[in-house]
Amino acid sequence: MLQRKVVIWLIGIVCLLGTNPAVARYNESHMLAKLVKEGKLPPVEERLPEEPRVIEPLEEIGQYGGILNVADLDPYNAIDARSLRRHGLFRFSEDCTEIIPDIAKGFEISEDKKTFTIHLRKGLKWSNGVPFTVDDILFWWQDIVLNKELTPIIGRLWKPGGELARFEKVNNYTLRIHFAEPYPVVTQLGHSFGSGQGGLYDPKHYLKEYHIKYNPKANEIAKKEGYEYWWELFKVVRNPGYNQWNIDVNLPTLDTYVIKKIALDYQVWERNPYFWQVDTVGNQLPYIDTLIDRLYGNQEVLNMKVMSGEIDIASFSLLLSDYPLLKESEKRGNYRTFMWKTAIGAAVAFAPNQNHRDPVLREIMQNIKFRQALSLAINREEINEIVCFGLAIPRQATVLPTCSFYKEEWDRAYAEYDPEKANELLDKMNLKWNKNQSNRLRPDGKPLSILIEYYSGEGPRTAICELVEEYWEKIGIRVALKPEDRSFYNQRANAGLLDIGLWHLDCVTELHVYGQPHSGKMLSFDGGCGWAKQWELWFNTGGKQGKEPPEEIKLFYKDMEDWSLVTTKKEYVRLAQKIFDFHAKQLIYIGTVGMAPWPVIVKNNLKNVPTQGWWSWDSNFWIAFEPAQFFFTQ
Amino acid sequence: MSEDNIKALLEIKNLKKYFYIEKGFWKKIVGYIKAVDGINLYVSKGETLGLVGESGCGKTTLGRCILRAIEPTGGEVLFRTEEGITVDITQLDKEDLRLIRKDMQMIFQDPYSSLDPRMTVFDIIGEPIVINKIAEGKELKDRVKDLVKVVGLNVKHLKRYPHAFSGGQRQRIGIARALAVNPKFIVADEPVSALDVSVQAQILNLMQDLQKEFNLTYLFISHDLSVIEHISDRVAVMYVGKVVELADTEELFFRPKHPYTEALLSAVPKLDPRLRMERIILLGEVANPANPPPGCYFHPRCNYAKAICKNVEPEWQKVGPDHWATCHRAGELNLRGVT
Amino acid sequence: MNNNNSLLELKNLRTYFYLDEGVLKAVDGVSFKIKREKTLGLVGESGCGKSVTAQSILRIVPHPGKTEGEILFYQNNKKVIDLARLDPFGKEIRNIRGNEITMIFQEPMTSLSPLHTIGNQIMEAILLHQKINKQKARRLAIEMLDKVGIPIPSQRIDEYPHQLSGGLRQRAMIAMALCCKPNLLIADEPTTALDVTVQAQILELMKDLQKEFGMSIIYITHNLGVIAEITDEVAVMYLGKIVEYGSIDEIFHNPLHPYTVRLLKSIPKVGRKARMRLESIKGAVPLPLGLPRGCRFYPRCPQFKEGLCNLDNPPLVEVQEKHKVRCFLFG
Amino acid sequence: MVIVLWAVSITAFVIIQLPPGDFLTSYIMKLEASGQIVDEAEIAALRKQYDLDSPIHLQYCKWMWKMLHGDFGKSFEWNRPVRDLIAERLPLTVTISIFTLIFTYLLAIPIGIYSAARQYSIGDYTFTVFGFIGLATPGFLFALILMFFFYRYFGISVGGLFSPQYQLADWSGAKFIDLLKHLPIPVLVIGMAGTAGLIRIMRGCLLDELRKQYVITARAKGVSERRLLFKYPVRVAINPIASTIGWLLPGIVSGQTIVAIVLDLPTVGPLLFRSLVNQDMYLAGSSIMILAFLTVIGTFISDILLVWLDPRIRYEKQAR
Amino acid sequence: MKNKQDKTSLEEKYYIASQWQLMWRKFKKHKLAIFGGTILSIFYFITIFCGFFSTQDIYKRHTQYIYAPPQRIHFFDEKGFHLRPFVYGLKRKIDPVTFRRTYTEDRTKKYPIYFFTHGDKYRLWNLFPTDIHLFGVKSGGTIFIFGTDKLGRDLFSRNLHAARISLSIGLVGVFLSFILGCILGGISGYFGGTVDMVIQRVIEFLISIPTIPLWMCLAAALPPHWSPIKVYFGITIILSIVGWCGLARVVRGKLLELREEDFVMAAKIAGATDYRIITRHLLPSFLSYLIVNITLAIPSMILGETSLSFLGLGLQPPVVSWGVLLQDAQNVRSVALHPWLLIPGLFVIITVLAFNFMGDGLRDAADPYK
C-alpha cells in the first residue's frame, strides 16, 4: 500500500516537473491517453484551446481517475450533479460580487453601458471536437430566440426599454451585443445559468439537423420521432438543461462531463475529452473521470446512502436539521461534514398583503406601525436556537452584507425582540383588546386574525411558522396556519388572496439583487408573496387597471426603474441604499433568520474542496468552487 | 274435476314455476328448471291433501307458489274466501295478498331456521297478529297465551327465545304462529321430517287435533309415505314437477294406477321383519328437472314402459272415481298396492 | 356364543366428551357382540349415542371425546385386539381402519372429498392397506365400482363426487369401504339422506354384498323400518345406553322396554287404517348432559315408578335367550 | 369488464386533472425553484405542445384513442414514451411482487396450517399475536425502522435494489445475487401485512375444513393424520387463497407504493406517485389504467384459477 | 334442592337471554378480545378527558428542552424509597461539534409528582374552563413522560390529544362507510335485479382503482381554504369512500343469505311489509355481523389516516393526530436520535391490534345460534 502511494507520488512529481504551461505541454487522463494511443482521439494539445483556462488547485495538484458518486432527488433539481459539471461563458464569484470568465476569455461593458463585448477562446471545441465559435451564439440568437415558433415572445431581459438587443459578430471569436439604453443588468449574463448552453449558445452544427431553416426535412424527422412539428423535437433535442433526465445523449456540450447513459434512477457522465481547463502544471481537467448521479426517491434513503459512504459529495439534497446525524456518522461514512453559509436573506420572510381585499385589514396592514409590531414580536434568537442550532443570523429581511452598498442598520431594523414595544405600537393603532384580554379587535369590532397560508416545503417553514404563530398571538393577533401545496399557494399568492405572504428571501447578493425582474425579490411587488398585486397591476398597465399606489410607493418604483439604468458606481450605490432604506423603514418583508448554515458532505479522500464557502443558487452552487479540480487521493 | 269445484276451497289450474338458469356476465338465460310444470289440483274445505314425492320433485315449490311466497310463472290459484268470493291469488296486488294471507298460512320443515332466533316466543307468535292488526295490548297477550296453550306449550315460556326449545317444541311454536291469524288453509311443508320419531307422532297428533278444532284445511307435503297415509284424506304423488297420480288415500295406497306410485309404495321399508318381501327396485334416480327425458318423465325407470312412453307426454286423465293419473297405461295395468 | 363366532365385542364402552358445560356422556357403558356374517342394527333417536359408538369402535371420536372400556376385535388369525387400548393416531389402529373394519356415512356428498376423484379416494384406501401398485389398485377400484352397480365404472372412476347423483355417491362410498374386503362394515345411517326408491336400491345392494363378502355389518339408523328390513339383531339405544337388545323378531314382535314399545307405536304404518290417532312419547330427548339419576327414560316413561326408577340405574337383564332389557319392570 | 375499464379510464383522467394547476404549472414552479427563467411566451408554447389548451373531453378522447392503439403517450417529466418508462420499471416490480408472493405464501401457509392443526396451542397464540402486529404496523414506519436498524447493526445500506457497483452493470449472476441480497427487507415489509392476513384466512379455512365429514371418512379409511391434513383440508383450504393470487399481484404493485417510496425501490409505484405529484398526465393516467387493468385481469385470473383448482366450480359451470 | 333451583334459574336466564346477551356470554370467553376491548375503552376514556390526563398545553413550548428524551419517574433516590414518585431535573448539553442536544438527569433537582395539580388552563369538552390535571410537578420542574419534540412540546400531552382525532377518525369514517355500505348493500341485496347489478359494477369499479391515486385525487379535491375541522371530515369521507365497498358486499352477501331463511318467508306469509321484514328481521340478524365488520374496518381507517399523513395528503400540523405526529418521526434522524418520536406509532399499533383482537372475539360471538 505504502509502496503504491510512493509510486503515485513519484508519478505526481514527474508530472509536476514535466508539465510547464509555458512549454505548452499538457497532460491528460490515462483514460484519454489510451484513446489517443488507439487513434480514436487527437492528442491533448489539439483538443485544448490556444489559451485554456488555467485553474489553480485549491490545495494541491490532483490525481487522475475515480468515480464521483453524486445523489439527487429530482430530475429537475439534480443540482449537485449539474453544478459539478455545468459551465457558462461566465460565472459569478463565490460571493456574487464579480463576474469571472469561464468558457469565454473575457468581456467588456462599454462606458455607456450599452454595448457588451464577449471574447471567446480560440480553438475551444465542443465535446465532439467541433470548434466553438461566435456562430454558436448567433445560432442561439437568430435561429432560436428570434424564431417565432421556438420563442413566440421574447423575454424582457433582451428588451431593455422595449427595444430588442442587436447581436454583432466581430469575428469568429468576438461578439458584440448592443442595447438601446444603458443596461447594467446585463451583468446577469454573467451567471453561469444564463450564459451556459441553452442560455446564450447552442451547438449549431448539431442542432441544424433539426431546424427547418437548415434542414427542410426537419418536420419529417420530427414526425418519425413521434412529434407533430419540427420545433417540438428541436426543443427536446436542444434541452436547455432544466431536466437532467431527458438530455439527448448525442448532444455536444462544453461542460466538464458528457452524458453516457440515462436510466430512470441514475445517470453516467464521462469526462469531456475536449474540456478546456487545465491546472497550473498543465494537466487537463477534470481530474475525476466519471460522474454518476443517482436519483433517490426520498430524502431518507439519500441520507442513509450518504451516511454509509456511498455518496462522495453532497449538499443540495441535505437538510440542516439532519446535521447532527450526518456529523455523527462521519466516521462510518468516511466523510467530512462542513457547514457553509447560504446566501438567503431570510429563511422565512413575511409580507403583509398591502392590497388586501378586506378594507379594514388592508388599512391595518398598510399601517407601518402594524408591520413594525409584527417584526418586533418575533423572537429571532429563539428561532435561530430552535431551528438552526443557533448558527444562522437573526436579522431583518434585507440584502447580504457582501453587497457593496450594504448598511448594517438594515439588518437590525426592528429586528430586536420587544413584544412590549410591539404591544405599544398596536395600542397606538387603537387595536383594542377584547374583554378577556386574549385577542385584539379590529376597528370594526371583529377579532384581529390572520391566516398564514404557506407552502410547507423548502426549508424549515413549518417550524418557523409555528413559532411565529405563537409570538403574534402573544401580542393579541389570532393566527391560523395553513400549509398548502406549492402550486395552490402560488395561485393564491398570484391572485393576491393571502393575508400575509411568505417565502424565503433569496436573490439578495450584489449581482442578483437587481436585474431580472423575476428574481430580484426585494424589487418586486410579488416575490412569491403577492404582497401588492393591485399596485403591480397599476404599474404594469400604466395606471389603467389595479389600484393606484400611494406616493411613496410610486417613488420606490421609480427608484427601482432608475437603478436598473444607472451608469456610474456612485449613482448605483446611492439608489440602492435609497431602495433598501425604504425597505428597512417600511418593512415590506419581515425577516426572521438569515444566512442559515448548510451542511456539505465531502468524502475524506476527495480533495481540493473548500471547507468554508457560500452555498447558494446565486453563485450556482458547486461551480463557484471549480469542481473540475476536485480529485480523489488514490 | 268439475263436480268438485263447488266444495273446493282452493283450486290450482295449470300452475307453473320455472327457475331460470342464468349464465355469464349478462345473465343470459340458457335454460330453465321446470320445478312446477302445469299442475292441476283442488283442495276441499276441511280435508287434508297429502302431497308426496321424492326430493327435487317440486313439492315444496308448489306449496310456496300457492301462497305466492314465490311468484309462480303461470297458472291460476283460485281461493274461495269466507264470503264465498273466489279470487285468483296469482293476480292479487300486494295489499289484497296481505289480506288473503290471513286465511292461508304455512308450517315449515326446519324448526330451526323458521323461527327468528332474535325474537321471543311471544313476539314470534304475536307478529302475525300485530301485522294484521287483529289485536293489541292485553288482548294480544291473551290471544298469544291461548295459542300457546292450544299447541301444548307452557305459558310461562313466552319470554324465552327459540334457542331454549327442542325441535318438537319449536315446531309447536311454528304451528302456533300459523294459527295466530285464524287461517282456513295451511300448507304444511314437511312439518315432521326434521323431528325425532317419538316427537313426530306428537306433532302429527297435534295437527289432527287442531284440524278438528279449527276446521282447518291442510296441504300436507311430505316425502314419507307412511306419514302421508296417516294424515291425508286424499293424496297427490309428484314426479319431476308434475302430479302423476291423485286419489283418495285408500284408493291410492291399495289400488295405485301409476307405476311410480307402485314403486314408491313398494320401496317403503315395512315395520315388520317378517314382511321382508320382494320389492320393486327402480333403476336409476329421479330425473333432472333441468333436463328431463322426453315423453313420460318416468319412462327410463318404469318397468312397464312402452314405445309410446318414450315419445309422448301422457295426459292427466281420470282413471276412476276421484282418481286421476298421468300414465299412458294407467287403464290397462293392474298394479300392486299395499298388501 | 362361542368366541369363534364373534367378530367384535364391546364391553362397557364409555365415550365421554369433556366440555366447558360439563361431561357429555355420549356413550355410557355399552356392551354387545357382533357375530360373523351377521347384521347388528343400532337404533335410536338423535343424540342416543349410536354414531359415537361407531366412531368409538374405529377410534375416530372427535376432539374432546375420550373412549374407555374394551373393544375386543377377533381377527381372522384368532388374535384378539382391544381397540380401546390402541393409540388413536397409531399405526395399529390405522391398519385396521379401512381394512378390517370400514365405515360408511350418512351424507355421501360431504363424506367424499370434493377435490379428488372417486377413483383417487378408493385407490387411496387400497394402496394404504394392500401392497399392490397403482395400476392394479385402479383395476381393483373399477372392479369394486362395477360390483356396487355403478354403470361404466372405468369412466366414472375419474369423476368427481359432485358429478354423481346421491345414490351413486353412496355406492362409491360402499365400494371404497369394501375394496379391502373388511370383516366388519359399520354403516352409519347410509340411506337417511336418500330417496325411498334409492334407499331400497342401496339396502338391496348391501344385502347382496354381505352375502358375497361374508362380512358383518353394524347398521346404525333411526328408521325402524330399515332395521326391520336388514338386520339380524337389534340394539335399541337411549341416551348412551342400550335399553333393549334382541333378535329382530323379538324386538318387533315382543318389545319389552317401554321406550321400544312406545317408539314402535308412535310410527304411522303404511296400510293401516288411516287417520288413527298415534301414540306418542311425551317430551323430547334431552341432551345427555347432567342427566338425572336413575333410569334415563323415566321422565318420559308412562310406567314410571316413583322411588325406583328415579333412584337407580336399571341393569341390562336377559329376560329370554337373545333378549335383554334395561328396565325395572323386568328385573 | 370493458365497462369497468372504461369507467376507470374516465376516472383516471379526472384524477389527473383534478388537482389545481397542471403539469406545466408544477413544471414552471420547479424551474423557478431551481433558478431557471421561464417567460410567459415559453409557457404558452409549452401549453400548446403538451396539448393542455384543448378542452378536457377532447384531451380525453385523444388519449383514449392513442391508448387503444397501444400508444400510452409521452411522459412530460421524463420526455420518454410512457411505455418505455413502465417497461423499465416493470421487470423489477414483478420480481419484487413475485418474491413477496412467494414469501407470503411460504410463510403464511405453513403457519396457517400449524395454527389450525394445533388450535389454541402456545404456537398458535404466538403466531396470532405476531400476525396481528404485522397487520397493525404502518408499513412506512416499519420500513424506515428496519432500514436504520440494518444500517446501524449490519452496516448494510438499504434502499434501492442494487449495490452501487451493480447498479450500472449489465445483468449477470453476480448482479442477480446482489439483487437477492437486497430483496429481504422490501419483501419482508411489503409481505408483512399480507402474510398476517393470509395466516388468518388459512387458519380459518382450515379449521372449517377440518370439521368436515370427508376428513372423518379419510380417517376411517386409515389415512395417517399428517397425510390426512395435507391431502384433504389443506388442499381445499388453499383453493380460495391460491385463487387470490390474481388480485394480490396488482395489489402488491399498487398498494405497496408507500413502502416502495420509503425504501426507494425502482418499481412502478413510486413512479406513479411521482407522476401524480407532478401531474405528469399521460404517465399517471396510463399507470392508473395499467394497474386497474391488472386488477380486473387479476380478478379474472383468480376466477379462472379457482375454476381450475376446484372441480366443483369447474363442472358447475360446464353443467350450466 | 337449592342447588337445583339455582340451576334452573340459571338455565332460565339462558333461555330468556337475547341475542346480545348470548353474544356477550360468548365474547367474554375470548380473553384476547376482552383484553383488546379493555385497552380500547381505556384509550377512549382517556381521549374524552385528554385535557385532564395530559400534563400540559399541547402547544406550550420549552425552548430549553428541545428533543428532550422521556423523563424517568423515580421512586428511589439516594435516600431510599419514596411513596411519592418524582422526576429529576434535566440538564442540557449541546455537543459543540454535532450540535446535538443531549440531556442528563440533574440529580440535585428533584420534582415530586403531585396528583390533581393545577397546571395549564384548558377547556374540558371545549365547555368548562379548568386547570386541573391528573398529575404534574410544581412549577420550575418539567415532566415529559414521552419526551419533547422539535419545538420542545410535551409529547405525552400531544399524543393524548392526537388520540382524540385518530381514534375518532376511525369511528366517523366507519360510520360514514357504514351508512353508505348499509344502504347501498341493502338495496343491492334485498331488491336484486338491475339495481344490484349497477351497484355491484360500481363497487367493482371503485375497487379496481388503485388506492393511492384515488386518495390523492380526492385529497386534492378538498377545497383548500377549508378549516382543519372540515379537512378532518373531508379525510374521513375520503377514507370511507374507499371503505364502504367492502361493507356493502358484506351486507349484500348476508342479506342474500338471510333472504332465503324460512323465518323471513314466514314473516312474508304473515303479511309483513318489506319495511317490517328489513327492520325487524333482517337488520337485527346481520347487525352483529356488521358490528364485527365495523370493528375490523376501524383499524384500516386509522392506518389509512397515518398513510395519508405520510403522503402529506392528510391532516396538517397545527392539528395533532397520530399521523401528524408521525410526520415528524418518519425520517432517519428521528429513528436514530429521537426514537421517542415514534411513540405515536406504538399507539397506532396497539390500537389496531386491540381492534383486531376485539373484532376476532366479536366474530366468534357474532352468531350465538350456531
Side-chain angles (χ1 to χ4, degrees), chain A residues 300-301 303-304 307 319 321-325 327-328 330 339 382 384-387 389-391 454 456 462-464 466-467 469-471 474 480-484 488 492, chain E residues 59-64 66-67 92 94-95 97-102 149-153 158 223-228 231 316-318 330-334 336-338:
Chain A
E300 302 315 314
V301 170
N303 282 352
M304 299 283 295
M307 284 156 61
L319 294 177
S321 49
D322 283 327
Y323 180 77
L325 183 70
K327 187 78 189 168
E328 280 185 6
E330 264 186 349
M339 279 288 219
E382 194 184 54
N384 189 19
E385 194 64 31
I386 290 178
V387 183
F389 304 103
L391 298 172
Y454 67 101
S456 50
T462 300
I464 293 178
E466 278 181 88
L467 290 169
E469 174 192 13
E470 203 186 305
Y471 301 143
K474 267 191 199 144
L481 295 184
K482 184 155 178 23
E484 276 165 8
F488 186 72
R492 303 263 303 160
Chain E
Y59 297 112
K60 186 171 168 185
R61 287 183 297 100
H62 301 264
T63 316
Q64 289 310 301
I66 288 164
Y67 286 131
R92 183 177 70 156
I94 296 183
D95 187 310
V97 179
T98 64
F99 301 114
R100 182 176 166 187
R101 299 170 178 87
T102 47
D149 68 359
K150 60 176 189 278
L151 296 183
R153 294 173 296 201
R158 285 176 77 77
H225 54 264
W226 274 12
S227 65
V231 170
Q316 294 290 342
Q330 59 204 12
N331 48 56
V332 180
R333 173 186 1 126
S334 299
L337 306 179
H338 330 295

Side-chain angles (χ1 to χ4, degrees), chain A residues 371-419:
Chain A
R371 303 198 292 271
Q372 287 165 353
L374 288 184
S375 182
L376 288 169
I378 295 173
N379 187 345
R380 293 178 174 80
E381 288 292 345
E382 194 184 54
I383 293 177
N384 189 19
E385 194 64 31
I386 290 178
V387 183
C388 304
F389 304 103
L391 298 172
I393 296 167
R395 67 200 295 270
Q396 196 49 274
T398 190
V399 292
L400 292 192
T402 49
C403 294
S404 56
F405 47 81
Y406 171 73
K407 283 197 204 162
E408 248 184 74
E409 55 187 84
W410 299 338
D411 238 34
R412 294 198 301 267
Y414 304 98
E416 72 270 20
Y417 177 50
D418 195 345

